[in-house]
């Protein structure tokens, strides 16, 4: 197992542990963050219905992640959502993940 596979396995283990406790409901949907090699994705999900309520995608980068957080907060407000549960998907809370969370808070979402 190379370094990249170990890192992915570690994140998946953390993700499973987090998802066992975090559930999005109609009152407090889940704000999920995912990073690929080129993009950052944010989704607001109602796990009880299995529905994505809002989503945004931007190129990878801290500044873009903050903008994505503000955009997702704007979409959430249009759908009447003010409170969410933050799901960092097993990533460390710094850099892009922190910027996305700060952008969403600046946009008016409450965690």
């Amino acid at each position: 197992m190379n370094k990249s596979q170990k890192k992915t396995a570690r994140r998946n283990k953390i993700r499973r542990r987090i998802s066992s406790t975090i559930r999005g409901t109609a009152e407090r949907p889940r704000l999920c963050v995912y990073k690929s090699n080129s993009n950052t994705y944010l989704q607001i999900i109602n796990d009880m219905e299995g529905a994505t309520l809002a989503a945004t995608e931007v190129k990878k980068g801290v500044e873009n992640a903050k903008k994505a957080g503000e955009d997702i907060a704007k979409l959430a407000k249009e759908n009447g959502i003010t409170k969410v549960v933050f799901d960092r998907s097993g990533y460390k809370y710094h850099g892009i993940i922190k910027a996305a969370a700060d952008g969403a808070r600046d946009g008016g979402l409450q965690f």
Side-chain angles (χ1 to χ4, degrees):
M1 191 181 278
N2 64 26
K3 186 176 181 179
S4 175
Q5 290 169 331
K6 286 180 184 177
K7 195 174 188 179
T8 302
R10 177 186 173 278
R11 189 180 75 80
N12 285 334
K13 183 178 177 184
I14 293 168
R15 207 175 100 226
R16 280 192 306 273
R17 189 169 52 234
I18 290 170
S19 67
S20 69
T21 59
I22 293 178
R23 290 281 183 254
T25 63
E27 296 82 33
R28 283 184 73 121
R30 177 169 56 105
L31 173 59
C32 182
V33 181
Y34 174 73
K35 300 186 302 183
S36 71
N37 285 335
S38 57
N39 295 325
T40 302
Y41 304 87
L42 277 75
Q43 291 184 333
I44 296 180
I45 304 167
N46 179 350
D47 291 317
M48 298 301 172
E49 296 177 7
T52 299
L53 306 174
T56 186
E57 170 188 355
V58 294
K59 290 288 182 191
K60 203 165 183 181
V62 174
E63 298 83 15
N64 291 338
K66 185 166 177 86
K67 184 181 178 317
E70 293 168 355
D71 291 346
I72 200 79
K74 181 180 173 188
L75 291 171
K77 287 203 174 207
E78 290 173 2
N79 290 329
I81 300 167
T82 56
K83 294 183 178 184
V84 295
V85 178
F86 188 67
D87 179 6
R88 60 187 175 88
S89 300
Y91 298 110
K92 292 181 180 178
Y93 187 81
H94 72 97
I96 290 173
I97 304 300
K98 185 176 187 303
D102 290 343
R105 282 191 190 103
D106 291 346
L109 286 181
Q110 296 176 356
F111 295 13

